[in-house]
Amino acid sequence: MKIRDISRMAWEQVKRRKVVTGLCMTGISIGCAAIIVALSVGQSAQVYVTDQVNQSFKMDEIMVSPGGGIPSQGGKGGPASGEVNENLDPGKLTDQKLEIIQGLNHVKAASPFQEAGYLQLVTIDNKIADVRIIVADLQMLTEYDHKFKQGGANGQPGTVVLNYGATLGLIDLETRQKLYESMGNDPFNQDIQEQYRKLSVQPSELYRKQIQIQAQDYSTTTPTTKLSSPLQIGGILEGAKGIDDMQASYDKIMYMSPETAAQLSKELVFDNSTTSVLNLPAEGSYNAVTVKVDDVANIKAVEQMIQKLSLNASDNLYQQEMLKEQFDMIKMAALGIGVFILIIASISIIVAMTMSTHQRRRQIGIMKVLGANMGQIRNMFITEAALLGLLGGMLGVLFSYLIVMGLNKLVGSAGDGMNFFIPALNLPVGMSFAIMTGVLSGIYPAISASRTDALTAIKRD
């Protein structure tokens, strides 16, 4: 018999035994759908969580800080007293090293992002908010995936850029004090809590407005304050994706150029202190530089080159590696569940095919008498089992899409931003398991059928 004849006879048997075919297909389809959906849910969750992590921890960025060295103070015949000798401080992060980093292969951008401390932003109408000051090259903000909602960056001294969170929750001092007192006196009052939430996300129009930075000195018995010269807000950044206004209001950032920071550093010095309230490194050096790399695959290579400059370099790839390990375990568990279901389905196929062998003894005997050999009979039964696996796998794919659609509707109604999807690679994986289950389940019945004695089978029936 030719392969076409074997396939036709197997297909006829599959069509004729509708109940057995339906039961076998159902078992295989459930196992196939379980594997596809489980793998897809795991991968969808991994993509979602990775995106969320990327919003907080950029995987394509390297944080560079000064490395270890042997700083030496200037002595007789050397540098001026108190000045660090750069030759004996190899770990210092200088302009020269920054230029070298900017010229490295695979580096898209390298710019200082220096934490200068927390101060108060004061508007013209006396609204106040605590902001985190970051000193950076404002022209480079867009190179680090920041997008402007309003305005842009320019190099003029006295111009600053705010993130979206810094425009939320600005409250005048009197209202702020009364609200905090009310919350302290009655912390479980829902009306006060709701008022606080509304004020925390209330937006303020600050673009192109003038503001001042306020510093307070608590080292004396009577706290004193100092205000900077007016600063103009030249741009407002867009909010991060997936972050609501309440979360954004907790992270208020003001970006300013080194020139503006140096100006404020001179202005915000109290009479009883010689140091500024701004935490700035010495001129020509930096305490933190962020390096943007063209591809995550090149992170380690760039990191090694930076470390050769006696600098510390760290990345966030460990976050990705931890997530990968966790989701690999989830995928393996899901795959195990699907395989277990397929094993149960294979048992039903073995039972059904064995019963079919017993019922078709006369047919097998006639085929042997007409010249069919053991291999051809075996192939017919294995082909029949493979067809059951194929049909069950196709039904399982359909079930998978229906289940994923249901999950997306369920998650969508809950207000979560997660979206489940079925990667194209998961479909052949599920189908392969289904067909393999059918073929393996059909081996024993096929061998049993091929060993049937032709004359005994014909006489008995």
Side-chain angles (χ1 to χ4, degrees):
M1 286 190 296
K2 297 180 179 179
I3 296 176
R4 183 178 61 183
D5 297 326
I6 293 174
S7 302
R8 181 177 54 79
M9 292 179 67
W11 176 246
E12 290 297 329
Q13 288 298 323
V14 168
K15 289 196 301 182
R16 187 173 65 84
R17 300 182 301 117
K18 294 181 176 59
V19 176
V20 175
T21 298
L23 290 174
C24 293
M25 284 176 55
T26 301
I28 292 177
S29 63
I30 293 173
C32 176
I35 289 176
I36 294 175
V37 171
L39 291 176
S40 300
V41 167
Q43 287 173 294
S44 301
Q46 183 175 1
V47 169
Y48 175 75
V49 173
T50 301
D51 288 342
Q52 294 297 313
V53 169
N54 279 334
Q55 291 176 10
S56 303
F57 305 98
K58 300 294 184 181
M59 297 300 174
D60 59 348
E61 291 181 0
I62 299 173
M63 284 61 70
V64 181
S65 60
I70 310 175
S72 172
Q73 294 299 120
K76 187 176 181 180
S81 177
E83 184 179 343
V84 176
N85 186 341
E86 292 187 16
N87 293 327
L88 295 178
D89 188 9
K92 192 173 183 181
L93 182 48
T94 60
D95 284 327
Q96 184 180 7
K97 289 184 180 180
L98 179 59
E99 290 179 7
I100 294 173
I101 294 172
Q102 289 170 339
L104 294 176
N105 291 331
H106 307 298
V107 171
K108 289 175 60 179
S111 178
F113 282 83
Q114 304 182 112
E115 298 275 353
Y118 284 84
L119 294 173
Q120 288 185 324
L121 177 155
V122 182
T123 63
I124 296 177
D125 52 354
N126 289 323
K127 291 183 178 179
I128 296 178
D130 297 320
V131 294
R132 180 158 55 105
I133 308 295
I134 294 182
V135 181
D137 183 351
L138 302 185
Q139 305 285 350
M140 297 292 289
L141 288 175
T142 54
E143 296 291 334
Y144 291 85
D145 303 327
H146 293 293
K147 296 180 180 179
F148 281 92
K149 181 180 180 182
Q150 292 177 293
N154 59 63
Q156 296 180 356
T159 303
V160 297
V161 172
L162 299 180
N163 75 335
Y164 175 67
T167 66
L168 303 174
L170 275 75
I171 311 173
D172 65 87
L173 190 59
E174 183 179 354
T175 303
R176 185 183 192 183
Q177 189 65 32
K178 287 181 179 179
L179 182 60
Y180 285 166
E181 288 178 0
S182 300
M183 292 175 65
N185 295 331
D186 191 2
F188 301 105
N189 190 309
Q190 293 299 320
D191 293 335
I192 297 177
Q193 293 291 338
E194 183 62 26
Q195 182 184 3
Y196 172 75
R197 281 191 288 269
K198 286 182 179 179
L199 289 175
S200 296
V201 297
Q202 182 177 341
S204 298
E205 182 54 52
L206 296 178
Y207 176 52
R208 288 185 176 175
K209 298 291 179 66
Q210 286 194 336
I211 54 107
Q212 290 177 288
I213 297 298
Q214 178 175 278
Q216 293 184 327
D217 180 18
Y218 295 100
S219 62
T220 59
T221 54
T222 304
T224 57
T225 61
K226 275 207 169 190
L227 285 172
S228 70
S229 56
L231 303 173
Q232 185 171 22
I233 298 175
I236 307 290
L237 298 177
E238 289 184 0
K241 292 181 180 179
I243 304 296
D244 59 26
D245 285 356
M246 180 59 75
Q247 291 174 302
S249 68
Y250 293 140
D251 189 23
K252 295 178 170 61
I253 301 175
M254 175 187 291
Y255 297 93
M256 62 177 62
S257 66
E259 294 78 15
T260 303
Q263 173 188 331
L264 292 182
S265 180
K266 295 175 182 177
E267 295 177 1
L268 301 177
V269 177
F270 291 97
D271 296 335
N272 61 342
S273 175
T274 57
T275 59
S276 170
V277 294
L278 286 177
N279 180 26
L280 298 175
E283 186 177 354
S285 64
Y286 309 98
N287 56 28
V289 167
T290 302
V291 179
K292 191 81 168 177
V293 181
D294 57 3
D295 194 281
V296 176
N298 299 320
I299 284 283
K300 290 300 180 184
V302 175
E303 199 171 301
Q304 289 173 0
M305 289 188 283
I306 293 173
Q307 289 170 346
K308 290 180 180 178
L309 298 173
S310 299
L311 300 173
N312 294 324
S314 60
D315 56 59
N316 294 310
L317 291 182
Y318 71 94
Q319 298 277 354
Q320 199 174 45
E321 292 168 0
M322 288 172 58
L323 286 175
K324 185 177 182 302
E325 290 178 2
Q326 293 174 1
F327 282 108
D328 282 346
M329 292 175 61
I330 294 174
K331 288 177 188 177
M332 292 300 294
L335 190 63
I337 293 171
V339 170
F340 176 75
I341 295 174
L342 284 177
I343 290 173
I344 301 300
S346 69
I347 294 173
S348 66
I349 295 177
I350 293 172
V351 173
M353 295 289 288
T354 303
M355 291 176 60
S356 174
T357 302
H358 181 75
Q359 294 169 354
R360 293 157 61 187
R361 285 177 304 175
R362 182 177 176 83
Q363 178 191 1
I364 296 169
I366 293 172
M367 289 174 62
K368 281 195 169 186
V369 170
L370 294 176
N373 56 40
M374 293 176 64
Q376 291 171 333
I377 293 173
R378 266 198 311 268
N379 292 340
M380 185 183 70
F381 275 83
I382 290 176
T383 303
E384 187 177 329
L387 283 173
L388 289 174
L390 176 63
L391 294 173
M394 293 170 65
L395 189 61
V397 170
L398 177 61
F399 285 165
S400 301
Y401 278 102
L402 293 175
I403 293 170
V404 167
M405 287 173 58
L407 288 174
N408 282 327
K409 286 186 178 180
L410 183 64
V411 172
S413 63
D416 201 326
M418 186 173 178
N419 180 54
F420 293 103
F421 64 95
I422 298 179
L425 186 61
N426 289 354
L427 299 180
V429 170
M431 290 291 294
S432 299
F433 271 99
I435 296 172
M436 184 177 65
T437 300
V439 171
L440 293 177
S441 303
I443 291 176
Y444 172 74
I447 294 174
S448 178
S450 66
R451 291 177 178 175
T452 301
D453 183 73
L455 293 178
T456 304
I458 292 172
K459 287 178 182 180
R460 189 173 296 172
D461 292 331

